[in-house]
Amino acid sequence: MTRIFYLLFTCALILFSSMLSAQAVQNFSLSGNITSDKADQMEINLFDTDHKLIKTEIADSAGTFRFEDLKGGTYHLKISRNGSEVYHAENISLTENRTLPSVDLNVKSIEGVTITKAKPLIERQDGKMIMNVENSIASAGNSAFEVLEKAPGVAIDNNDNISLRGKGNLLIQIDGKNTPMTGSDLASYLKGMPSSTIEKIEFITNPSSKYDAAGSSIINIKLKKEQRKGTNGSISTSLGSGKYIKNNNSISINHRNKKVNIFGNYSFAYREAYNGLVLDRNFYENNSFTKAYVQDNYLKFRFKNHIAKAGMDYYMNDKNVLGFSVGFISNKFNLNGDNSNVTLGSNSLPESTFNTLNASNDQWTNVSVNVNHKYSIDSLGSEITTDFDYINYSNSSLQNFETRTQTIADNHYDLDIQKGDLNGKLNIYSFKSDLIKNFSSGWKLESGVKTSFVKTDNDLKFFNASTGIPVPDLNKTNHFIYEENINAVYGNIAKKWNKFKVTAGLRVENTNVKGTQITTSQINKRNYTQLFPSAVFSYDLTEKSNLEINLSRRITRPSYNQLNPFKLYLDPTTLRAGNPDLNPQTTMNYEFTYSLDSKYFATLSYSRTSDNITDILKPVVENGENVTVQTFENLRTASYFGLNLIAPVKVTKWWDMNNSANFYYGSYTGNVSGTQINNKGNFTFSINSINSFKLGNGFTAEVTGNYKAREIYAYLNVSPYWYLNIGAQKKFKNNSVLKFSFNDVFFTSNIKGQTVYNNYIENFAVKRDTRVITLSYTYNFGSSKNGQPRKTGGAEDLKQRIGT
């Protein structure tokens, strides 16, 4: 531990010394003029090549604007009115004082730059694929889970595990901070988050060393933030109906002046949904059929979700900004389940039946506090940022299981009543500091240090109430404590020449974990230090085409509950259990991307994962009975070969088509439950097409279609599925928008598949409440003067792993 902190201190000292050695450089000005009868309402934002906002100016009554004290380099310029982007000018080279030609809003280009209008639904920037959710009609009234479920390249299996382009074990973030859950817990969390609070979703398939090393890829859900000066805000509401009702509401307000930026937002969602699961489980011995369970499971959810956040940024002077924020999330959901089962004997005739009624009341609560500081070193964009985060999660669940069993031969009935009182809490402390140093020679240096401490405490108490008096069930009661400390240091260096750019980095992470099973006095400790290199090589073939090679090493640590060995019974034939022997998985990712005109992209990718953490259903024999266990195992290797294509097409002046396709082959090797697989997998693909239609007079329409081909994932074989969404919207002159959407029109986005082991075959079919009609309304109010958003938060690698 001492050596790690010595390394962090030495690195910071070296970087600080290099910062002091920077040389003075010459400054330039950039000016221009806007031709418009509303020129004084235009706001001009200037960005660097990393899309970081440098300065903001407001045009005068004659349309003139001017930026002073700029360093030589390449810039992007965006012009906005009433918070909406009007023009986007790229590749403005500044080597001397420069005056741009007059910008006529009736033309689409000016000398030396390329002009684009509103953001497309799907775009790629800085190695990220970005889905601008606020531009999507079909996303209106949905939850974050439903938006993700229909995003290009995303798939969600029958256990609610999310994968991107065929890769699982993702890192899911909200505003750059990891979500506190995985699997079904994460799904419940996202199902309660309204899409009206989401600005965009970033898909980072090959993160660099400056990102936390956790996760094979990163999906970052960025919530809306008000950037305009003055007092601004928005109000949104939606009402939708599938089989059940869905209602989302949100309000945000922001006040900004020269010294202070104060912001706050609140959303409330009430949603009802269901999950239907039909199972046919067949058991064998030496290839001879012995038993089968035929089950029909129906689970209804009711969510009440509150999300609130408030904070302030104080601009102390030209170089220092101090900020803080507090957040609160409350997600209450009730679950009512009805599980019917028929047990077939070796002669395929019914032997017994059971029916399990499940009722539970659950609540997740999250309180977070962030304190941050930014010090601007120079006008080149060099800066030091520091974040301290404290995050607390707590969850509780009161469960009641009533199982009635009938033996057909003697018509005997049994009643078993199980009650559960489940409580958990998680505390996270995180400190990080990052340095960005830009040099006039074109070199860029990034470095940072981070340390975090995590403790989670899960206390599960079960009682047998079959006699009418609850008696503690010591076979099910469990208490598990997990403690973790991670220390990290990273460094990136980048240099851009005329057509060539190189970024190379290294991240070092030291991990110390301890899992204590109090019920059984079992203790598991693990300590390890690993290196995570990354590199990006970019070359401009022409002014419009580019080649990029990207590589990185990643790690996925087991979630806190994935390591918990305790067994949680769902019904007499199904249980869930963690695996304390799980190892972290490590992945090497390689990508080769060709881009044309900054809108057509082709990416070849390859990755190889060791000790791949896999969510499986496997057969076991417990107390002489065949049961199925949902658990986690390390497969020895998983390999991935992929080709991703993005190709927008402007069919006519009023019809824009955004197409994406992902072709890939996954190959898996390992041994689970006595079944060996060697390089098992298949070639598969998914195709997504989003069509936007401008109908005039403020009306637009949207049609989205998606097809996912059959896929073999280790022991799981998933059937193909597809869906079609339609929608329309009307923009009014008072800055309000009315949207209508009809998702999964033909009710076809349901998952079917088969799981196969040597002595076990399971067929399953999942149905969710996906066919939904929604009407939403959003009203924006306030000033039109934009400001600069700030990215804060230091707990980026911690909160992903609390759930199962």
Side-chain angles (χ1 to χ4, degrees), residues 133-145:
V133 175
E134 61 182 349
N135 292 3
S136 171
I137 300 173
S139 297
N142 286 347
S143 67
F145 182 83

Side-chain angles (χ1 to χ4, degrees), residues 173-178 210-212 220 222 225 263 309 312-313 321-326 368-374 383 385-391 428-434 449-452 490 507 789-799:
Q173 298 182 339
I174 308 293
D175 281 337
K177 296 185 179 183
N178 296 4
K210 72 177 181 179
Y211 292 94
D212 299 300
N220 183 25
K222 300 199 72 172
K225 296 182 179 64
F263 59 89
K309 187 174 183 179
M312 181 181 74
D313 296 321
V321 183
L322 182 65
F324 77 91
S325 64
V326 293
S368 60
V369 178
N370 170 263
V371 179
N372 58 84
H373 175 260
K374 183 178 80 170
E383 63 183 29
T385 58
T386 303
D387 284 90
F388 172 77
D389 286 274
Y390 168 70
I391 302 139
I428 298 174
Y429 299 87
S430 169
F431 172 84
K432 67 173 290 192
S433 185
D434 298 280
V449 296
K450 182 174 181 178
T451 185
S452 61
Y490 77 89
R507 188 178 187 91
R790 296 190 61 222
K791 179 181 178 181
T792 61
E796 292 93 355
D797 69 336
L798 304 172
K799 302 179 287 177

Side-chain angles (χ1 to χ4, degrees), residues 467-486:
T467 61
I469 300 176
V471 178
D473 189 334
L474 300 182
N475 292 323
K476 294 185 173 68
T477 295
N478 173 49
H479 192 181
F480 182 70
I481 295 177
Y482 180 88
E483 299 169 277
E484 176 184 87
N485 164 234
I486 299 177

Side-chain angles (χ1 to χ4, degrees), residues 7-8 10-16 18 209-210 383-385 432-437 444-450 488-493 506-507:
L7 177 62
L8 303 182
T10 302
C11 181
L13 183 62
I14 293 172
L15 294 175
F16 183 72
S18 68
S209 298
K210 72 177 181 179
E383 63 183 29
I384 298 175
T385 58
K432 67 173 290 192
S433 185
D434 298 280
L435 166 68
I436 299 175
K437 176 58 184 171
K444 181 178 182 180
L445 182 66
E446 295 178 307
S447 186
V449 296
K450 182 174 181 178
V489 58
Y490 77 89
N492 280 337
I493 190 166
L506 178 67
R507 188 178 187 91

Side-chain angles (χ1 to χ4, degrees), residues 157-161 182-185 277 281 561-562 564 566-568 570 573-579 614-620 627-633 757 762 804:
D157 67 16
N158 56 306
N159 293 319
D160 288 335
N161 296 302
T182 58
S184 58
D185 290 330
L277 177 61
R281 295 171 168 171
N561 284 352
Q562 284 175 342
N564 188 345
F566 190 74
K567 299 175 181 178
L568 178 62
L570 305 178
T573 67
T574 310
L575 61 94
R576 181 186 301 169
N579 180 358
T614 307
D615 186 353
I616 63 171
L617 285 169
K618 71 175 186 178
V620 299
V627 298
T628 302
V629 180
Q630 180 183 341
T631 187
F632 306 88
E633 298 278 357
Y757 293 91
E762 175 185 293
T804 58

Side-chain angles (χ1 to χ4, degrees), residues 144-339:
F145 182 83
E146 291 163 327
V147 173
L148 266 182
E149 193 172 28
K150 294 176 174 58
V154 174
I156 300 177
D157 67 16
N158 56 306
N159 293 319
D160 288 335
N161 296 302
I162 302 171
S163 63
L164 175 63
R165 299 185 189 175
K167 298 179 183 179
N169 295 305
L170 306 174
L171 187 63
I172 308 295
Q173 298 182 339
I174 308 293
D175 281 337
K177 296 185 179 183
N178 296 4
T179 50
M181 296 149 278
T182 58
S184 58
D185 290 330
L186 174 61
S188 297
Y189 176 80
L190 295 176
K191 287 173 183 176
M193 178 180 292
S195 64
S196 59
T197 63
I198 301 174
E199 176 190 0
K200 60 185 177 181
I201 302 177
E202 298 177 338
F203 303 90
I204 310 170
T205 56
N206 211 0
S208 71
S209 298
K210 72 177 181 179
Y211 292 94
D212 299 300
S216 60
S217 299
I218 296 174
I219 295 179
N220 183 25
I221 301 173
K222 300 199 72 172
L223 303 182
K224 292 180 179 179
K225 296 182 179 64
E226 184 56 68
Q227 302 177 16
R228 293 172 291 175
K229 293 180 180 179
T231 301
N232 307 275
S234 66
I235 301 173
S236 178
T237 185
S238 70
L239 182 64
S241 179
K243 185 173 183 178
Y244 300 111
I245 201 75
K246 305 162 200 310
N247 172 240
N248 294 332
N249 307 275
S250 64
I251 181 172
S252 65
I253 191 166
N254 184 92
H255 177 76
R256 180 182 179 123
N257 57 33
K258 186 176 181 180
K259 281 288 187 180
V260 176
N261 180 49
I262 302 174
F263 59 89
N265 55 67
Y266 168 76
S267 67
F268 170 73
Y270 176 82
R271 304 176 65 82
E272 296 181 4
Y274 73 90
N275 193 87
L277 177 61
V278 176
L279 296 169
D280 181 7
R281 295 171 168 171
N282 299 273
F283 298 87
Y284 299 83
E285 286 185 11
N286 299 321
N287 296 321
S288 297
F289 175 74
T290 60
K291 182 181 290 187
Y293 298 135
V294 180
Q295 298 185 348
D296 188 352
N297 302 277
Y298 187 86
L299 189 63
K300 181 182 178 182
F301 309 84
R302 287 187 299 275
F303 296 92
K304 292 181 180 179
N305 181 271
H306 300 266
I307 302 175
K309 187 174 183 179
M312 181 181 74
D313 296 321
Y314 173 56
Y315 297 82
M316 304 167 64
N317 50 47
D318 291 340
K319 292 185 176 294
N320 292 277
V321 183
L322 182 65
F324 77 91
S325 64
V326 293
F328 174 78
I329 297 175
S330 173
N331 190 14
K332 296 182 179 180
F333 51 100
N334 300 325
L335 290 81
N336 292 282
D338 189 341
N339 177 10

Side-chain angles (χ1 to χ4, degrees), residues 325-495:
S325 64
V326 293
F328 174 78
I329 297 175
S330 173
N331 190 14
K332 296 182 179 180
F333 51 100
N334 300 325
L335 290 81
N336 292 282
D338 189 341
N339 177 10
S340 299
N341 174 83
V342 177
T343 302
L344 305 179
S346 58
N347 56 3
S348 298
L349 296 177
E351 289 185 342
S352 64
T353 65
F354 72 75
N355 179 259
T356 299
L357 298 178
N358 168 25
S360 66
N361 294 312
D362 301 77
Q363 179 169 358
W364 284 88
T365 303
N366 162 226
V367 177
S368 60
V369 178
N370 170 263
V371 179
N372 58 84
H373 175 260
K374 183 178 80 170
Y375 173 69
S376 298
I377 300 172
D378 54 39
S379 58
L380 287 171
S382 303
E383 63 183 29
I384 298 175
T385 58
T386 303
D387 284 90
F388 172 77
D389 286 274
Y390 168 70
I391 302 139
N392 171 266
Y393 288 95
S394 63
N395 63 285
S396 63
S397 178
L398 295 176
Q399 300 181 348
N400 186 79
F401 294 88
E402 294 186 7
T403 302
R404 290 174 169 81
T405 304
Q406 177 191 13
T407 305
I408 294 177
D410 56 8
N411 202 30
H412 177 72
Y413 287 86
D414 280 322
L415 174 63
D416 180 67
I417 301 177
Q418 295 284 334
K419 294 184 179 293
D421 185 358
L422 287 63
N423 292 278
K425 57 185 177 181
L426 168 68
N427 286 291
I428 298 174
Y429 299 87
S430 169
F431 172 84
K432 67 173 290 192
S433 185
D434 298 280
L435 166 68
I436 299 175
K437 176 58 184 171
N438 295 306
F439 297 91
S440 58
S441 57
W443 288 92
K444 181 178 182 180
L445 182 66
E446 295 178 307
S447 186
V449 296
K450 182 174 181 178
T451 185
S452 61
F453 297 88
V454 177
K455 182 176 181 179
T456 179
D457 187 337
N458 291 314
D459 191 5
L460 288 69
K461 298 177 182 177
F462 286 92
F463 305 87
N464 190 323
S466 302
T467 61
I469 300 176
V471 178
D473 189 334
L474 300 182
N475 292 323
K476 294 185 173 68
T477 295
N478 173 49
H479 192 181
F480 182 70
I481 295 177
Y482 180 88
E483 299 169 277
E484 176 184 87
N485 164 234
I486 299 177
N487 305 288
V489 58
Y490 77 89
N492 280 337
I493 190 166
K495 169 65 173 176

